[in-house]
Amino acid sequence: MARDPFRLIAQAQAEYARCIDDDRLEAWPDFFAASCVYKITTAENLREGLEAGIIFANSRDMLRDRVSALREANIYERQSYRHILGQPCILSDDGAEVRSETSFLVMRTVQDGDSQIYATGRYLDVYAISGESAKLRERIVVCDSSRINTLLAIPL
Amino acid sequence: MARDPFRLIAQAQAEYARCIDDDRLEAWPDFFAASCVYKITTAENLREGLEAGIIFANSRDMLRDRVSALREANIYERQSYRHILGQPCILSDDGAEVRSETSFLVMRTVQDGDSQIYATGRYLDVYAISGESAKLRERIVVCDSSRINTLLAIPL
Amino acid sequence: MARDPFRLIAQAQAEYARCIDDDRLEAWPDFFAASCVYKITTAENLREGLEAGIIFANSRDMLRDRVSALREANIYERQSYRHILGQPCILSDDGAEVRSETSFLVMRTVQDGDSQIYATGRYLDVYAISGESAKLRERIVVCDSSRINTLLAIPL
């Protein structure tokens, strides 16, 4: 089959979401290239040119550290997350790097309770494509709401 | 790559949603053919054979007029929308026109507040396909709830 | 076009969801092989190795019986459902059977009311693939919440 970045990215997104929702956070950094940017910010900050972000990492090792910190801090509240993603929009493709944008919705469920909307927004991604492998070189997570828990537990 | 209407439509849908969610409403009519039907109605109206609809347009120019009206009426409430679409179901394909049906969920977020479900329903679409271009010749937006704000602000 | 299980399954899922959301429940068993397993359970039960499940069927005929029972018991409350599914993750593919996992979100709308989240979770599927046909040999529906109405009306 010919190289198909849309398909590769759609599958990478689905596996990324599954990894987090299954609480296999130790595998989450493997979706990124060794040198990468991961940032969580809000639509308001982005609009106002505020660079800071709520969470920032610029290497896969920093992502691993973050997972370790999350595990240590873990309050054993029984809750689970469910990502539902839209189709990726391919914005550019130079053969090695593909820029894409994908809407997301994340719901949170406390074990015996209702499911609630936890976050909505979009991923601004740069994927490094090589053969059948698609790794995130950059993921900016832009949340629609500015009211984000700064102790934000899980990766988005 | 061979002609692939499923893929073309999936991508057109993703770009349509992104256009609205990014508040680039002036570009929204370009997803339609010059001669087109756009209607918002409810499942109940559809079931009872009521043709009226809540919003109706039968040309791309009418869609442009609607965007102008929305911009003039714009109350600068800080809110944003997020469309999450299902995969399209291809119902028929005669080589030039493809009928499809796609479920949607739209959430609304007030800037500092929670995200809420704004609308759910399905798109009943007729796409005119030509080469790599897919334009909407008809979109009937069928909302699941009959309790729709008749001042309905944004396109769905 | 070459055999493409991802596409086949994505389309089968979209048609499955549409069948239920359109309230064409009599057609729902046709998405399954004659000999099949259908089960609804919760993430908690699955984690604790509890096999029971809330709903269990091991043939297409049992699914037909279930639909008949639902129709007889039908309380004509005006409500509708809307499934939004993620992309399938293909877990294995031996040429005849494909294992996949897909996240779902189901919303419920009472005719004149708001839409609410009804269930979130994931499908653990085994699809039997033959030519262009994809039939479910097994579907385990794992709900994120343990608080599930045991009178659970519709198929998930």
Side-chain angles (χ1 to χ4, degrees), chain C residues 23 25-26 28-29 55-57 60-76 150-155:
Chain C
D23 194 30
L25 298 187
E26 284 71 14
W28 167 66
I55 286 172
F56 179 83
R60 191 161 56 196
D61 285 342
M62 279 182 72
L63 298 177
R64 294 198 202 287
D65 290 348
R66 178 156 179 85
V67 170
S68 301
L70 282 174
R71 289 301 193 201
E72 279 172 33
N74 207 342
I75 300 153
Y76 279 93
T150 49
L151 296 170
L152 201 67
I154 57 148

Side-chain angles (χ1 to χ4, degrees), chain A residues 8-25 27-32 37-40 63 83 85 104 106 123 125 127 134-136 138-141 154-156, chain C residues 87 89 103:
Chain A
L8 273 178
I9 289 175
Q11 291 189 335
Q13 306 276 50
E15 285 161 19
Y16 179 103
R18 180 169 172 260
C19 174
I20 296 173
D21 294 346
D22 284 356
D23 194 29
R24 291 182 287 103
L25 298 188
W28 167 68
D30 296 330
F31 289 93
F32 291 82
V37 168
Y38 177 76
K39 188 156 91 168
I40 299 182
L63 298 177
H83 287 66
L85 308 185
F104 67 81
V106 184
Y123 295 134
D125 292 332
Y127 270 99
K135 295 280 186 187
L136 284 164
E138 184 176 304
R139 165 155 288 184
I140 314 291
V141 182
I154 58 149
L156 285 174
Chain C
Q87 309 269 359
C89 285
S103 287

